[in-house]
């Protein structure tokens, strides 16, 4: 099981930026596709972005396309989420997750290991 620890959340004004990090405990990190999800108050967990094990491909949820960028550094066992032009509707707890599926997926059930989450709050 991969232990995942998110960091980088906080309070930011609309239009601002944040970069989230998620560090994995295992050296086998490079075998996993990685995803970011979020849960806003009163809503279900939502797909944000995913990146392939080698960083060669990525996909994004419609609400964040063009504003968020996912990346990874396998030498540091870390995946990142750069969030620009933040909006109040981006307020949520953000989670990273690891998937052993052979292709990128936005489905929660295909991600086996999850971090505890980091709070992002965007003020108007």
């Amino acid at each position: 099981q991969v232990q995942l620890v998110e960091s980088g959340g906080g309070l930011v004004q609309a239009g601002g930026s944040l970069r989230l990090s998620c560090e994995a405990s295992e050296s086998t990190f490079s075998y996993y596709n990685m995803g970011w999800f979020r849960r806003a108050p009163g809503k279900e967990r939502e797909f944000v972005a995913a990146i392939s094990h080698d960083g060669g491909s990525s996909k994004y949820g419609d609400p964040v396309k063009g504003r968020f960028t996912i990346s990874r550094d396998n030498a540091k066992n870390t995946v990142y989420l750069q969030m620009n032009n933040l909006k109040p509707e981006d307020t949520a707890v953000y989670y990273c997750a690891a998937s052993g599926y052979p292709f990128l997926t936005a489905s929660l059930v295909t991600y086996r290991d999850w971090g505890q989450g980091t709070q992002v709050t965007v003020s108007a």
Side-chain angles (χ1 to χ4, degrees):
Q1 186 173 2
V2 182
Q3 304 295 322
L4 301 169
V5 179
E6 301 96 337
S7 61
L11 174 63
V12 64
Q13 289 187 330
S17 299
L18 281 175
R19 188 176 81 155
L20 305 183
S21 300
C22 172
E23 185 172 358
S25 60
E26 290 192 6
S27 59
T28 56
F29 172 76
S30 63
Y31 296 170
Y32 296 94
N33 295 333
M34 298 297 296
W36 285 96
F37 293 79
R38 66 187 183 185
R39 175 176 279 168
K43 296 186 178 181
E44 296 193 353
R45 201 169 294 197
E46 172 188 43
F47 171 73
V48 175
I51 189 167
S52 60
H53 66 96
D54 61 356
S57 58
S58 59
K59 65 187 299 179
Y60 296 90
D62 287 341
V64 307
K65 283 180 180 177
R67 300 188 297 123
F68 291 12
T69 303
I70 190 171
S71 62
R72 66 190 296 161
D73 184 341
N74 285 346
K76 296 182 178 179
N77 291 349
T78 301
V79 61
Y80 304 97
L81 185 68
Q82 177 66 44
M83 306 185 295
N84 297 329
N85 190 22
L86 283 159
K87 304 175 181 181
E89 52 263 43
D90 294 317
T91 294
V93 178
Y94 283 72
Y95 301 88
C96 69
S99 172
Y101 266 53
F103 50 87
L104 286 182
T105 171
S107 174
L108 278 72
V109 299
T110 63
Y111 289 82
R112 184 191 70 181
D113 301 310
W114 292 79
Q116 293 300 305
T118 185
Q119 176 70 46
V120 172
T121 303
V122 184
S123 62

